[in-house]
C-alpha cells in the first residue's frame, strides 16, 4: 500500500474528468487521475462517438436508395452490418489516442487504472494506493438504466454499452424508450435494413418542442419505423431471436432483438460516498451552484452531478471548477445557455426555453418568430426543406431557440452564443452570412423579428418621407 498526495484528484476519465486533468496539470497543478474501466468514458466508447458513426453508415445507405431527386438512379444498398460496426470501431480507435493513458501521462498526469473509493472525507483508496488531495473531482458519469420490468432478467437485451459490439444485424429491433438515443438508433437501423419498433411509455421526443418533434417523428414513420406511444411496458418474455414486449394496455410487440433506451443512472455505487460525507439525490450527487458537494473539498461534474446528461455539459463543468479549484475564484455553473441536439435526420436542436416554457415564464412579453427551411436557397438546392427555426424573444433578447432540419445541431451554436453572452437580436441581425448557406436561416430569422418593425411601422414611413423631402 502506497500513500500519494496531489493538488487535485480526479475520479473518472470520461470527457469531464479528462478536461479537468488536462487543464489543471498544464496550469501547474499536480494531478492524479483514476479510471477503473475505459479511458474516454461512455462518450468515446459507448455513446456520442459510436452512435454518430453508425448514424453515418445509415445515412450512406439511405442516400443510395433516395438519389433520384438529384438526377442519380436509386440503388438498393448492400448493407454489411458487421462492416458498419467495423467502421464504428475504427472511428473509436482513431479518437482513442487523444484520451489515452499515454497522452495524459505525457502531460504530467499520474494515471492509476483503478476505481476509486472514499475511505474518509479527505482520502480515496484506488487499488494499492491511498490518495490525499487538496481538492477532489468526481467525474464518474452515468450508465444505462435497466428498469425492473418483469421477465427482463430472462431475456437477452442490448444497451448502448453492448449495442456497438453486436455483429449480427437485428432482423426486427425492439427499442424500449423514445428519447434521443432510442430515436437515433431506430433511424440508423431502419436505414441499414432492420425492421424497427419503438415502444415509448409517454410521448416520443417528449422533452422537445412538440411541433418540431413531430417533423422528426413523421420522417421516421415515413421511413418505416413503427412508433408506439403511451405504451408503458409491463412485461418482457421470449428468447434470443424471438422476443415479446407487452404493454399495460395489452399491446404486444414482437421482434428479434431488444434495446433498452429508457434513460441513465449516475455512477455512484463504487464510491462509498457516505465515508466522505457526500449526499446524493434521486438523480445523482447533490451539488450547489459551484458544483461543490456537501463535502466542501469535493466537486461533482457531468452526468454524476444529476443534471443535464451531455458530454459538452461535462466539459463546461470542467471549466467552471478549474477556476474555483485552481485559482480560488468564485465560479458558478449556469445551464440556461446549454444547447442539445438529437442527431436524427432531420436533426432536432434546442437551447434555452422552448415555446411552452417561455410562455409560462414571460407571458405576454414573449414574441415567437418562425422561419422555414423552405425559404432558404441552400436547403432548396439540396432538397432539405423540411424544417424550421423558432425563436423565443423577450424585449429584444432571445431566451430560447428551437430548430428542426438539416444541420440543426450546427445552427443552434449561434443561439447558444447569444444566450451565453446575453446578446440582443440586433447583434444577430447585423451578422452577414455567406450565400447560399443553411446558416442564413439564423440571419433571416433575426430579420423576421425586425421586418414588421421596419416595414409595417407608420412611424418609420413618416420619417422616411420627411427625410426624402429634404435630401438634396
Amino acid at each position: 500500500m502506497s500513500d500519494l498526495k496531489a493538488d487535485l484528484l480526479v475520479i473518472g476519465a470520461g470527457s469531464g474528468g479528462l478536461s479537468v486533468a488536462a487543464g489543471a496539470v498544464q496550469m501547474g497543478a499536480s494531478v492524479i487521475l483514476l479510471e477503473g474501466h475505459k479511458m474516454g468514458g461512455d462518450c468515446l466508447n459507448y455513446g456520442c462517438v459510436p452512435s454518430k458513426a453508425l448514424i453515418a453508415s445509415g445515412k450512406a445507405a439511405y442516400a443510395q436508395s433516395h438519389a433520384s431527386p438529384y438526377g442519380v438512379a436509386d440503388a438498393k444498398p448492400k448493407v454489411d452490418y458487421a462492416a458498419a460496426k467495423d467502421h464504428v470501431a475504427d472511428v473509436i480507435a482513431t479518437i482513442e489516442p487523444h484520451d489515452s493513458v499515454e497522452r495524459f501521462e505525457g502531460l504530467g498526469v499520474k494515471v492509476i487504472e483503478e476505481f476509486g473509493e472514499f475511505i474518509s472525507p479527505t482520502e480515496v483508496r484506488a487499488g494499492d494506493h491511498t490518495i490525499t488531495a487538496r481538492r477532489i473531482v468526481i467525474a464518474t458519469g452515468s450508465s444505462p438504466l435497466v428498469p425492473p420490468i418483469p421477465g427482463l432478467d430472462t431475456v437477452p437485451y442490448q444497451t448502448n454499452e453492448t449495442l456497438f459490439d453486436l455483429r449480427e444485424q437485428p432482423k426486427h429491433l425492439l427499442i424500449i424508450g423514445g428519447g434521443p438515443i432510442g430515436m437515433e438508433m431506430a433511424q440508423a437501423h431502419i436505414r441499414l435494413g432492420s425492421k424497427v419498433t419503438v415502444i415509448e411509455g409517454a410521448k416520443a421526443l417528449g422533452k422537445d418542442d412538440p411541433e418540431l418533434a413531430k417533423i422528426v417523428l413523421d420522417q421516421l414513420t415515413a421511413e418505416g419505423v413503427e412508433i408506439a406511444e403511451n405504451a408503458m411496458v409491463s412485461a418482457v418474455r421470449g428468447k434470443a431471436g424471438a422476443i415479446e414486449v407487452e404493454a399495460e394496455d395489452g399491446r404486444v410487440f414482437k421482434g428479434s432483438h431488444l434495446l433498452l433506451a429508457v434513460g441513465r443512472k449516475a455512477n455512484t455505487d463504487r464510491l462509498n460516498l457516505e465515508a466522505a460525507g457526500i449526499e446524493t439525490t434521486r438523480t445523482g450527487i447533490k451539488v450547489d451552484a459551484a458544483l461543490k458537494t456537501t463535502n466542501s473539498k469535493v466537486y461533482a461534474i457531468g452526468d454524476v452531478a444529476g443534471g443535464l446528461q451531455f458530454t459538452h455539459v461535462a466539459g463546461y463543468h470542467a471549466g467552471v471548477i478549474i477556476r474555483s479549484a485552481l485559482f480560488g475564484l468564485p465560479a458558478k455553473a449556469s445551464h440556461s445557455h446549454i444547447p442539445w441536439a438529437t442527431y436524427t435526420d432531420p436533426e432536432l436542436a434546442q437551447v434555452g426555453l422552448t415555446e411552452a416554457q417561455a410562455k409560462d415564464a414571460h407571458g405576454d412579453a414573449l414574441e415567437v418568430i418562425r422561419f422555414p427551411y423552405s425559404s432558404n436557397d441552400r436547403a432548396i438546392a439540396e432538397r432539405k426543406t423540411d424544417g424550421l427555426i423558432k425563436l423565443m424573444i423577450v424585449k429584444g433578447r432571445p431566451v430560447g431557440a428551437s430548430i428542426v432540419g438539416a444541420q440543426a445541431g450546427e445552427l443552434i451554436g449561434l443561439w447558444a452564443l447569444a444566450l451565453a453572452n446575453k446578446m440582443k437580436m440586433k447583434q444577430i441581425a447585423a451578422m452577414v452570412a455567406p450565400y447560399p448557406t443553411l446558416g442564413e436561416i439564423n440571419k433571416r430569422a433575426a430579420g423576421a423579428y425586425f421586418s414588421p418593425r421596419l416595414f409595417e411601422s407608420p412611424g418609420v414611413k413618416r420619417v422616411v418621407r420627411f427625410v426624402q423631402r429634404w435630401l438634396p
Side-chain angles (χ1 to χ4, degrees):
M1 184 71 69
S2 65
D3 293 330
L4 302 174
K5 293 185 178 181
D7 295 324
L8 195 66
L9 168 63
V10 181
I11 307 174
S15 59
L18 293 177
S19 296
V20 171
V25 76
Q26 291 178 93
M27 291 180 185
S30 58
V31 180
I32 296 174
L33 174 65
L34 308 181
E35 178 51 66
H37 191 34
K38 290 187 176 183
M39 295 287 287
D42 185 85
C43 179
L44 172 62
N45 297 289
Y46 313 116
C48 318
V49 170
S51 64
K52 303 314 165 278
L54 193 65
I55 287 169
S57 294
K59 279 188 176 180
Y62 186 80
Q64 288 188 26
S65 59
H66 292 78
S68 57
Y70 305 94
V72 180
D74 290 342
K76 183 177 176 60
K78 296 180 180 179
V79 174
D80 184 334
Y81 188 77
K85 291 300 182 67
D86 289 339
H87 157 66
V88 171
D90 181 65
V91 169
I92 294 172
T94 301
I95 299 172
E96 233 167 12
H98 186 266
D99 295 349
S100 66
V101 172
E102 292 77 15
R103 175 173 180 260
F104 278 80
E105 287 183 337
L107 291 174
V109 177
K110 181 172 180 59
V111 181
I112 299 174
E113 296 183 77
E114 298 282 357
F115 290 106
E117 175 188 24
F118 283 93
I119 56 176
S120 79
T122 59
E123 297 173 296
V124 172
R125 179 181 294 131
D128 294 332
H129 307 283
T130 299
I131 305 161
T132 305
R134 294 179 183 276
R135 297 289 185 273
I136 299 172
V137 179
I138 302 172
T140 49
S142 64
S143 300
L145 176 66
V146 179
I149 300 172
L152 187 60
D153 58 342
T154 66
V155 173
Y157 61 84
Q158 306 290 324
T159 68
N160 72 296
E161 290 188 349
T162 61
L163 178 65
F164 300 107
D165 290 329
L166 181 67
R167 309 286 295 178
E168 170 197 7
Q169 179 162 6
K171 183 177 180 182
H172 188 160
L173 180 63
L174 303 175
I175 301 175
I176 300 178
I181 295 173
M183 304 318 293
E184 287 177 358
M185 291 300 94
Q187 190 173 43
H189 280 81
I190 201 81
R191 289 180 165 189
L192 291 171
S194 300
K195 291 184 178 180
V196 179
T197 300
V198 177
I199 305 154
E200 166 57 44
K203 293 291 184 182
L205 298 176
K207 292 184 179 180
D208 286 282
D209 182 297
E211 179 187 7
L212 276 62
K214 184 178 185 299
I215 294 173
V216 175
L217 299 176
D218 286 349
Q219 176 62 31
L220 267 66
T221 300
E223 292 185 25
V225 177
E226 178 187 4
I227 302 172
E229 296 182 315
N230 300 310
M232 189 63 69
V233 174
S234 60
V236 176
R237 54 183 173 266
K239 59 183 180 180
I243 296 171
E244 294 184 357
V245 175
E246 184 173 349
E248 289 180 352
D249 60 8
R251 282 180 286 176
V252 176
F253 307 94
K254 299 180 180 181
S256 61
H257 292 71
L258 176 62
L259 171 64
L260 300 182
V262 294
R264 303 184 64 78
K265 62 175 183 177
N267 291 332
T268 60
D269 292 347
R270 296 176 181 268
L271 293 169
N272 191 26
L273 296 174
E274 296 83 358
I278 296 173
E279 296 178 16
T280 60
T281 67
R282 183 179 59 84
T283 57
I285 293 175
K286 183 179 179 180
V287 296
D288 63 14
L291 301 173
K292 286 186 178 181
T293 70
T294 48
N295 179 335
S296 63
K297 302 293 185 182
V298 181
Y299 299 83
I301 67 172
D303 288 8
V304 77
L308 295 173
Q309 294 180 326
F310 302 115
T311 296
H312 50 282
V313 171
Y316 165 65
H317 283 174
V320 171
I321 66 165
I322 281 177
R323 291 195 294 274
S324 175
L326 267 61
F327 296 101
L329 299 173
K332 294 182 179 180
S334 169
H335 297 99
S336 61
H337 62 293
I338 300 294
W340 68 85
T342 299
Y343 297 94
T344 47
D345 182 9
E347 293 181 0
L348 182 60
Q350 176 70 40
V351 66
L353 303 178
T354 64
E355 181 179 8
Q357 292 168 339
K359 284 180 178 177
D360 289 342
H362 298 285
D364 293 339
L366 174 69
E367 292 183 71
V368 178
I369 300 297
R370 306 156 63 90
F371 188 83
Y373 271 61
S374 58
S375 293
N376 174 267
D377 292 355
R378 182 64 177 271
I380 294 169
E382 298 196 4
R383 298 190 180 274
K384 301 288 187 181
T385 54
D386 289 338
L388 66 97
I389 180 172
K390 185 187 292 187
L391 302 179
M392 280 52 72
I393 303 165
V394 176
K395 297 179 180 178
R397 294 185 189 274
V399 297
S402 308
I403 309 176
V404 63
Q407 296 184 36
E410 308 292 337
L411 297 179
I412 203 70
L414 176 64
W415 301 104
L417 173 70
L419 266 63
N421 292 280
K422 297 180 172 56
M423 295 168 66
K424 292 185 176 181
M425 291 300 295
K426 65 180 182 180
Q427 293 168 295
I428 306 299
M431 174 191 73
V432 177
Y435 174 89
T437 60
L438 292 178
E440 283 188 293
I441 291 170
N442 286 331
K443 165 79 172 179
R444 294 285 299 279
Y449 172 72
F450 287 105
S451 290
R453 290 163 169 78
L454 293 174
F455 305 139
E456 300 172 17
S457 169
V460 170
K461 292 179 180 179
R462 283 196 298 269
V463 170
V464 170
R465 286 196 296 267
F466 177 80
V467 171
Q468 290 302 309
R469 282 198 299 269
W470 292 98
L471 279 177

